[in-house]
Amino acid sequence: MNPFWSMSTGSVRKRSDAEEKTLSGELRTSPLRASAKKQLPSIPKNAVPITKPASPATSSQSTNGTHASYGPFYLEYSLLAEFTLVVKQKLPGVYVQPSYRSALMWFGVIFIRHGLYQDGVFKFTVYIPDNYPDGDCPRLVFDLPVFHPLVDPLSGELDVKRAFAKWRRNHNHIWQVLMYARRVFYKIDTTSPLNPEAAVLYEKDVQLFKSKVVDSVKLCSSHLFDQPKIEDPYAIIFSPWNPAIHDEAREKMLTQKKKPEDQHCKSMHVSGLSWVKPGSVQPFSKEEKTMPT
Amino acid sequence: QVEQLKLYEMLISQARQPLLRHKSVLTPLLRLLSVCAEPASAPLENSLVLLLNQLCVSVAREPAILELFFHSHTDQGPANLIIFSLLIPFIHHEGARGQQARDALLLIMAMSASNRAVAQSITDNSYFCPVLATGLSALYSSLPRKIEVRGDDWHFLRREDWIGVSSLVLFMNSLEFCNAVIQVAHPLVQKQLVDYVHNGFLVPVMGPALHKTSVEEMIASTAYLDLFLRSVSETALLKTFLRFVLLHRHDNTTILDTLVGRINSNSRLCMVSLSLFRTLLSLNCEDVMLQLVLRYLLPCSHVMLSQKRAVRDLDIYGKTAAKFLSLIPRCCRPESPPPSRDRDEEPPARTRGMPLPGADVPPAPKPSTPSRLSFFMRQASAAPAEAATPRSPGPPAGSPPWPGPRDEVAELDRNYLEYLRDARHSIDRCAWACRVWSAPYDGEDPRAPGPTPDPDSPPGRPLGPPTPRTKKRGLPEEGVREAQGGPLGGDEPSAGGAGPDPRDGGTLVNGAHGAAEPGQPEGDVVVKKVRRSPQGEGEGGGGAPNGAPQARPPGWEPLPSVDSLLEELLARVPAEPPGAGVSIETFTEELREIEAEMQNGATPTEPPEPPLSHEEEEAFASFAALPEGDAGTGRAPPRPPDPLAQVVASPPRAVGPPPSQPFTGGHRGTGRVPAACRALPDPAVSPGPFVSVLFGKLENMPHNSLYVNFLLTGLVAQLACYPQPLLRSFLLNTNMVFQPSVKSLLQVLGSVKNKIESFAASQEDFPALLFKAKKYLIARGRLDWTEGPGAAPALRRPDTLARSRKPSLGELLLRHANSPTRARHAAQLALQGLRDGGLHPLAPPARHGEALRVRNAVYCAVIFSEFLKELAAIAQAHAVTSPFLTE
């Protein structure tokens, strides 16, 4: 356990810090995480879009332009919705962040807290096919090839397909891929492995397998502070613990935990009203009737 | 006397030391005051009030003095707060005197908050509360019976409307005073005052006033009520008003029902009523929503049984949005596609494919979401940095018929992002506000009241009578929907344009289900819906993930987190020597134990879990891929391959998930469903009078006036922003199959679309008229915007003034609705060069009837299209609402 690093990304990612705290202190994560205001990453305004030279517009289908022009919104919003679902899942130790350049690429990191891969911190990238949700299942590639039967020793890609042979819209969601990615470190599956060596060792010589895993975990940790593999403003970056920055951040989060109400939505000081007794469907049932009507 | 009063007033206000402490000052003062209790002349009253005010200020500064007043015995009787009783008669006075008296009283009220004796003396020994409350009644009776109307768009009282009407100013002063008293006073006083307001003003005066027979009086009283509701900020007072509106029965109907019914009336009364409901909805009050809508949806009898679980479904692929957008009448679609860039981006991105970021591939792959670019572009177009993102390849090139103004009108075709942004904001706000509600209204909680279901009856009993019934009803429904929705809905784009253009299909593939697969019957969509489990419920799970050694036993139900158990278990382990870790053997063994434990605990009656349990690692079993053909062998109910069969089969299937459904589950078990259902009173299968009236009005959109349509669509949009699954699914889940007697929003909108299209076909100059209408509305709106936010009404609850239609034309126009000069000015501006059209609302009514009809229909076409965009945006925004807002 090395508590002296922290993680930051280009944008505000409070959860990351919460996670960091969790690791060092073994606090319960959920309240922290629940209280931290989690915003979907905003789309930076000052960004200059990478524009392709506008090809001569082939406006052949002029009449259904209205409909077609909304198409992109669906994709963007579907992915936003997927991301929201991930947030709702609160997968322990799994964090993702859509990249700045594309909603189809998500950066992530997974913290393994128990078992063979304990203390493992594995960064990864999720690639969502651009014909989502009607395409194949997303791919998940670890930045460093973890020693694991289901992780390709060269590319670092996790065998996701075996769990999602066919990606079904409405039924399959990206959080499931992330959950699967977490699960493989707790339940080792050796059938038809991408890394046969790991599979065989696991079956035949668990001790050696374990030591290899430990090495692999160490290797990953030693590269934790490396520059992100993919340059992106939203890439997940780890940096050594710096009290000047991180102490304050931690303080802020802890106070936020106490008063989530205040911190939550300063812009939204609206409060609804309710006099309905829980479980009742009668208006003004919360109190005894005080006056005859 | 006057001189004496003045002298004392001067003494007290000028004195640097607290004089009142000294008996030599106080005693003669009190004697003087007690003499003044008799009615007196105006100058005397002025001086008296001034002195009393001054006294109160001193007392407030030094509460100890209060005791002296309190215990001094005067002619007025013992323990009677003479200052106070002297002030009461002035409560409702106008002008400075009244204001001073009220200020002074307020000081005393504030003192009562911390001094129970004072509070008690106010409630027990004074007429303060009754005078205050019944004074409202008196003042109300002098209000104008008829509101002088300044424009055909007037629909609610704004500050500048009433500030010039002295009787209304008087009333509002007193009402605000009530509000202030309730804010500061002791609970005893608070409660007494609230009771008196209810029984002394609302019931005897407001009730009858709302039920006057003349339309003018109805309009006035409704507008007054709306104004009052907007002006009251104290929860206790607001509660009394709401209780009056929701529960009080006048002539055996609740005020609420009466008001709902008035939406149906003609123009002005309808607008005023809509305006009142806008105020009510903006309160985000559970009780209001319960009475208006939710209680009718609670039994879930408006949906097919099989659909009950879909209530909570979120439409994450934008299908609903696509449906709404597809209802934009063909005649209202832009001549040419909006800036083509976003569409141009699409095909390359699609074909580009993604390089494999393998070990040997440098970190290069940067797939781009095509839409993200369009996001930037659109955002930029809202910002000043417009030059950076030229919309050069846009429509101007392709659309010559309109010269200059074309651009800004075309802007309307591109404002979808603004709708999205706004929808997001409104929903977030609403969700945040509703967190104080008692229940989520998700179809499970709270349970519907009514005929007591037998929750214990065995759920396994095969469906007897219900099946045929639902079948019979279900199938025609499909037919109807297809017939109605089909032509206007799904396959619209291909019918309207280039047909099966693959690119088009590609663009739509992410959500426009209907458009992408035009030929598919709606039934298919339904099937998918049915098949989809509300996440985490583990429906359709069954079987083990392919190749996983530890197969989940069938019947596995997600239960409170394995993870937490796991963590708990393992938390104990670190006691072992560090480094040893948990051996894999023990780990797997423990895991098995846990599994066994979980399985034993898994009761089939487990109600659908809160989102948290999704994290459940074992839910994995429910989504992991199954070998083809394995699907049926799992624990999950068999899945017929044929979509149609699925539809038919779905009702019985719903039996599978055991009595998590309070109603249906119970009834079904005993086979009493049909009887029970039929026995239910009519409201049980209708979405309630409020929604019915709104839908009826919506259906009539082409004939409504422009302003009615603004308010109406704004209200529906407001309703659609509520995050409660019951309401959300009712309005926005276009895949829901309703009982045949229940009309869906989509059906209503579909019929409006047809009406507009047939009107457009009959009106040869429709495009020109449409253009002028847009132009006019934009000009009017723009002018108003320049007035800036300073022009906003300074009401007490500015936050509740839902400006739900801000980016749309509606609010822009309505915001200056009451300022005749501005409106006229705007109209003139807009009319320059457009006079010929005869479209403009202030134009002299030539050929009145016909012109009006045409005008309404053309405006309706504009508003309708914008409304659909707004609804689509709301539907999309629901899927991305932050879960932290509701937790």
Side-chain angles (χ1 to χ4, degrees):
Chain A
M1 180 102 35
N2 53 343
F4 293 110
W5 45 260
S6 75
M7 187 171 77
S8 67
T9 67
S11 71
V12 191
R13 288 281 294 160
K14 285 173 183 148
R15 279 175 65 193
S16 333
D17 292 340
E19 168 59 27
E20 183 272 321
K21 208 75 28 59
T22 314
L23 267 205
S24 42
E26 280 303 329
L27 303 170
R28 298 289 308 157
T29 51
S30 28
L32 251 185
R33 205 174 306 145
S35 65
K37 180 181 177 184
K38 184 63 187 62
Q39 284 287 348
L40 295 178
S42 60
I43 296 140
K45 290 196 178 72
N46 52 358
V48 180
I50 335 149
T51 41
K52 292 172 60 81
S55 50
T58 46
S59 31
S60 52
Q61 356 122 285
S62 50
T63 22
N64 52 14
T66 306
H67 207 88
S69 66
Y70 296 108
F73 290 112
Y74 302 146
L75 178 57
E76 191 90 8
Y77 262 72
S78 299
L79 291 167
L80 272 179
E82 285 281 5
F83 186 75
T84 308
L85 288 180
V86 171
V87 173
K88 276 185 192 155
Q89 295 310 311
K90 297 188 179 134
L91 297 173
V94 181
Y95 301 91
V96 286
Q97 159 102 321
S99 87
Y100 167 78
R101 297 191 204 291
S102 166
L104 292 171
M105 181 165 72
W106 295 9
F107 305 116
V109 61
I110 185 166
F111 295 83
I112 305 298
R113 294 167 186 160
H114 310 293
L116 284 173
Y117 288 84
Q118 182 167 5
D119 293 346
V121 181
F122 308 124
K123 290 204 268 182
F124 61 87
T125 309
V126 178
Y127 297 92
I128 299 151
D130 55 5
N131 53 352
Y132 163 90
D134 297 315
D136 269 347
C137 68
R139 299 185 311 125
L140 191 149
V141 182
F142 288 102
D143 283 13
L144 293 172
V146 191
F147 184 74
H148 189 283
L150 299 188
V151 176
D152 187 307
L154 290 177
S155 67
E157 177 159 6
L158 173 70
D159 185 0
V160 179
K161 267 229 159 72
R162 74 169 55 211
F164 305 92
K166 189 174 181 313
W167 187 262
R168 288 177 287 165
R169 60 151 61 203
N170 278 328
H171 193 72
N172 289 128
H173 296 290
I174 293 169
W175 65 266
Q176 295 163 344
V177 175
L178 300 176
M179 182 193 267
Y180 169 74
R182 179 174 174 274
R183 187 178 179 273
V184 296
F185 292 108
Y186 292 105
K187 293 182 172 256
I188 313 294
D189 179 9
T190 53
T191 50
S192 50
L194 287 185
N195 185 344
E197 186 203 351
V200 170
L201 274 188
Y202 180 74
E203 299 287 351
K204 304 281 194 269
D205 187 351
V206 176
Q207 287 313 317
L208 186 55
F209 177 82
K210 277 201 261 186
S211 74
K212 284 243 182 195
V213 166
V214 169
D215 292 345
S216 179
V217 165
K218 276 186 184 148
L219 183 75
C220 289
S221 299
S222 70
H223 285 86
L224 209 53
F225 300 141
D226 290 1
Q227 279 306 299
K229 254 182 111 180
I230 298 170
E231 201 183 314
D232 189 285
Y234 287 177
I236 295 177
I237 304 165
F238 286 80
S239 67
W241 179 268
N242 177 352
I245 302 168
H246 300 116
D247 279 352
E248 191 193 345
R250 172 189 352 223
E251 189 54 37
K252 219 168 143 189
M253 275 186 318
L254 290 178
T255 50
Q256 208 166 30
K257 183 188 172 189
K258 280 174 213 141
K259 305 189 286 181
E261 297 277 312
D262 300 344
Q263 303 287 333
H264 223 109
C265 304
K266 288 202 187 91
S267 57
M268 297 197 281
H269 44 265
V270 260
S271 176
L273 301 164
S274 169
W275 292 282
V276 180
K277 197 172 91 191
S280 162
V281 290
Q282 289 305 312
F284 305 107
S285 48
K286 216 172 198 166
E287 279 181 9
E288 74 285 15
K289 242 178 138 51
T290 49
M291 45 198 142
T293 41
Chain B
Q1 274 186 2
V2 176
E3 293 309 312
Q4 274 178 308
L5 288 171
K6 276 187 180 158
L7 184 70
Y8 270 108
E9 191 263 316
M10 196 118 85
L11 259 179
I12 293 164
S13 62
Q14 306 287 319
R16 309 213 166 157
Q17 300 164 315
L19 282 179
L20 294 167
R21 236 182 249 167
H22 305 291
K23 257 214 143 54
S24 53
V25 180
L26 189 63
T27 318
L29 173 62
L30 287 175
R31 207 174 303 130
L32 173 66
L33 289 179
S34 59
V35 176
C36 295
E38 312 297 318
S41 63
L44 183 78
E45 284 186 347
N46 278 336
S47 310
L48 177 63
V49 169
L50 204 60
L51 172 61
L52 291 171
N53 185 301
Q54 208 48 251
L55 280 173
C56 286
V57 172
S58 310
V59 170
R61 241 182 252 146
E62 201 177 356
I65 300 177
L66 189 67
E67 297 293 308
L68 297 176
F69 281 94
F70 212 47
H71 294 298
S72 310
H73 288 230
T74 67
D75 302 344
Q76 298 296 300
N80 198 346
L81 202 48
I82 184 159
I83 309 180
F84 183 66
S85 46
L86 282 177
L87 279 169
I88 289 179
F90 299 98
I91 287 181
H92 299 293
H93 275 227
E94 57 190 310
R97 199 194 318 160
Q99 198 54 52
Q100 279 163 0
R102 286 190 290 269
D103 288 348
L105 281 168
L106 214 50
L107 285 170
I108 298 176
M109 290 304 143
M111 281 182 275
S112 82
S114 52
N115 189 333
R116 194 186 162 90
V118 174
Q120 203 110 43
S121 109
I122 293 170
T123 52
D124 297 353
N125 298 325
S126 86
Y127 293 112
F128 177 70
C129 292
V131 167
L132 192 48
T134 50
L136 287 179
S137 299
L139 291 173
Y140 186 90
S141 66
S142 62
L143 294 184
R145 296 282 163 87
K146 176 179 170 185
I147 292 178
E148 196 194 326
V149 168
R150 301 162 215 213
D152 51 1
D153 53 355
W154 178 88
H155 63 282
F156 77 123
L157 284 165
R158 304 199 318 170
R159 195 173 192 93
E160 52 260 54
D161 290 327
W162 59 260
I163 208 77
V165 183
S166 61
S167 58
L168 203 42
V169 170
L170 264 184
F171 185 93
M172 290 307 285
N173 282 342
S174 290
L175 184 64
E176 275 170 24
F177 181 61
C178 279
N179 193 59
V181 167
I182 287 168
Q183 191 170 19
V184 299
H186 190 274
L188 273 177
V189 181
Q190 203 182 67
K191 186 175 171 313
Q192 195 187 33
L193 180 55
V194 162
D195 286 358
Y196 272 111
V197 168
H198 187 271
N199 296 333
F201 167 58
L202 291 175
V203 170
V205 175
M206 211 56 218
L210 285 167
H211 288 83
K212 286 273 160 60
T213 43
S214 102
V215 175
E216 290 299 340
E217 281 177 286
M218 286 183 201
I219 291 171
S221 55
T222 310
Y224 292 146
L225 182 60
D226 177 37
L227 174 66
F228 302 159
L229 284 172
R230 278 182 287 126
S231 307
V232 167
S233 69
E234 272 312 294
T235 320
L237 190 54
L238 194 56
K239 179 183 174 185
T240 299
F241 271 85
L242 292 177
R243 182 201 288 269
F244 165 73
V245 170
L246 297 187
L247 297 184
H248 177 65
R249 286 176 176 275
H250 186 93
D251 292 346
N252 238 353
T253 17
T254 61
I255 303 285
L256 190 70
D257 288 341
T258 308
L259 293 171
V260 165
R262 298 217 175 128
I263 295 178
N264 244 339
S265 56
N266 65 13
S267 201
R268 177 91 58 194
L269 184 55
C270 165
M271 279 158 61
V272 172
S273 304
L274 287 172
S275 195
L276 175 71
F277 279 103
R278 180 177 63 178
T279 302
L280 284 175
L281 289 195
S282 69
L283 295 173
N284 297 310
C285 174
E286 180 175 5
D287 307 62
V288 170
M289 292 306 289
L290 188 60
Q291 290 300 89
L292 271 184
V293 194
L294 289 170
R295 67 178 170 138
Y296 301 101
L297 302 179
L298 270 174
C300 276
S301 47
H302 61 290
V303 294
M304 295 306 216
L305 290 182
S306 58
Q307 299 273 297
K308 259 202 82 172
R309 333 165 70 204
V311 161
R312 272 170 299 168
D313 285 351
L314 270 177
D315 166 34
I316 75 166
Y317 303 119
K319 270 188 200 169
T320 305
K323 277 244 169 68
F324 282 132
L325 291 173
S326 73
L327 290 182
I328 293 180
R330 212 170 315 157
C331 49
C332 298
R333 300 204 176 153
E335 312 280 306
S336 58
S340 47
R341 177 161 319 173
D342 37 32
R343 293 187 306 119
D344 292 336
E345 273 310 309
E346 191 89 349
R350 198 165 293 298
T351 49
R352 199 185 301 146
M354 231 170 305
L356 222 171
D360 43 356
V361 182
K366 287 172 190 161
S368 79
T369 328
S371 55
R372 189 153 288 216
L373 295 176
S374 65
F375 257 73
F376 291 139
M377 286 180 41
R378 284 157 198 258
Q379 247 175 8
S381 78
E386 188 133 2
T389 57
R391 35 173 129 83
S392 45
S399 50
W402 317 105
R406 173 69 197 169
D407 265 349
E408 70 182 12
V409 168
E411 199 64 40
L412 280 188
D413 301 326
R414 271 173 275 163
N415 58 2
Y416 189 59
L417 186 71
E418 282 172 47
Y419 280 113
L420 280 172
R421 202 184 288 140
D422 234 61
R424 180 84 190 269
H425 178 72
S426 311
I427 292 173
D428 280 359
R429 247 175 83 100
C430 190
W432 177 245
C434 291
R435 78 201 183 284
V436 300
W437 285 26
S438 74
Y441 294 92
D442 56 0
E444 298 292 341
D445 177 23
R447 301 186 165 210
T452 34
D454 312 334
D456 296 330
S457 48
R461 195 182 178 277
L463 216 60
T467 317
R469 182 186 133 260
T470 3
K471 252 193 214 166
K472 272 183 203 137
R473 279 176 145 203
L475 287 177
E477 162 78 337
E478 291 304 311
V480 169
R481 290 197 129 218
E482 231 176 306
Q484 279 220 351
L488 3 143
D491 30 6
E492 179 63 20
S494 47
D501 184 326
R503 251 174 35 143
D504 186 28
T507 326
L508 297 171
V509 89
N510 308 298
H513 179 91
E517 298 140 289
Q520 279 200 338
E522 181 117 25
D524 183 51
V525 180
V526 172
V527 172
K528 292 197 170 176
K529 213 63 181 185
V530 170
R531 186 187 291 163
R532 169 186 355 157
S533 66
Q535 307 100 3
E537 240 178 301
E539 182 260 329
N546 192 10
Q550 304 101 332
R552 296 280 157 280
W556 186 269
E557 282 282 327
L559 263 190
S561 164
V562 171
D563 267 306
S564 61
L565 265 173
L566 199 103
E567 270 166 28
E568 235 174 82
L569 244 153
L570 290 170
R572 287 179 228 134
V573 179
E576 291 180 28
V582 189
S583 82
I584 184 74
E585 292 84 6
T586 38
F587 178 73
T588 40
E589 204 178 301
E590 273 161 359
L591 210 73
R592 263 191 216 106
E593 275 172 30
I594 297 166
E595 274 174 27
E597 202 181 323
M598 301 287 290
Q599 195 197 345
N600 292 339
T603 50
T605 47
E606 187 66 13
E609 321 70 32
L612 189 96
S613 68
H614 290 203
E615 90 184 66
E616 173 86 47
E617 190 176 346
E618 307 312 326
F620 176 74
S622 73
F623 60 75
L626 301 170
E628 299 297 327
D630 209 39
T633 64
R635 100 185 145 81
R639 221 176 260 146
D642 176 7
L644 207 64
Q646 176 74 8
V647 170
V648 177
S650 45
R653 257 203 49 211
V655 188
S660 48
Q661 278 101 52
F663 259 69
T664 50
H667 285 314
R668 215 186 284 121
T670 55
R672 283 196 284 109
V673 181
C677 274
R678 266 183 238 121
L680 285 174
D682 191 36
V685 286
S686 99
F690 182 59
V691 170
S692 303
V693 165
L694 287 185
F695 280 11
K697 211 68 183 166
L698 268 185
E699 207 152 10
N700 199 35
M701 259 184 91
H703 307 292
N704 293 343
S705 80
L706 171 64
Y707 313 109
V708 166
N709 281 338
F710 276 147
L711 287 165
L712 183 66
T713 55
L715 202 58
V716 175
Q718 220 180 341
L719 212 51
C721 283
Y722 273 86
Q724 285 70 29
L726 268 180
L727 185 51
R728 187 190 65 208
S729 65
F730 173 67
L731 293 175
L732 298 177
N733 187 339
T734 52
N735 289 330
M736 279 277 206
V737 183
F738 293 151
Q739 297 290 348
S741 62
V742 179
K743 227 176 217 174
S744 73
L745 179 60
L746 199 71
Q747 283 171 312
V748 171
L749 296 175
S751 94
V752 176
K753 180 201 184 216
N754 286 342
K755 285 178 194 169
I756 292 176
E757 281 183 343
S758 67
F759 169 80
S762 72
Q763 198 79 18
E764 54 191 55
D765 56 345
F766 181 81
L769 290 175
L770 188 72
F771 177 73
K772 277 176 192 162
K774 286 181 179 177
K775 182 92 172 54
Y776 169 72
L777 293 173
I778 289 170
R780 208 174 168 176
R782 175 158 312 134
L783 190 91
D784 192 59
W785 264 150
T786 61
E787 301 271 324
L795 279 159
R796 277 171 166 265
R797 298 176 64 98
D799 51 310
T800 64
L801 285 177
R803 308 213 314 226
S804 60
R805 313 223 60 207
K806 193 184 67 199
S808 66
L809 296 166
E811 192 64 16
L812 299 187
L813 185 131
L814 290 175
R815 283 182 70 243
H816 67 185
N818 297 297
S819 166
T821 35
R822 262 187 292 156
R824 212 177 311 120
H825 186 41
Q828 279 160 1
L829 203 90
L831 269 198
Q832 282 164 11
L834 291 178
R835 277 233 179 249
D836 46 329
L839 190 64
H840 157 60
L842 300 185
R847 316 183 315 273
H848 195 71
E850 175 62 10
L852 188 71
R853 193 183 70 84
V854 171
R855 188 202 298 156
N856 282 345
V858 173
Y859 278 138
C860 166
V862 181
I863 303 305
F864 183 66
S865 307
E866 296 298 304
F867 179 47
L868 288 170
K869 283 192 261 180
E870 187 175 23
L871 283 177
I874 290 171
Q876 284 200 272
H878 269 299
V880 299
T881 310
S882 162
F884 294 106
L885 283 173
T886 41
E887 260 169 24

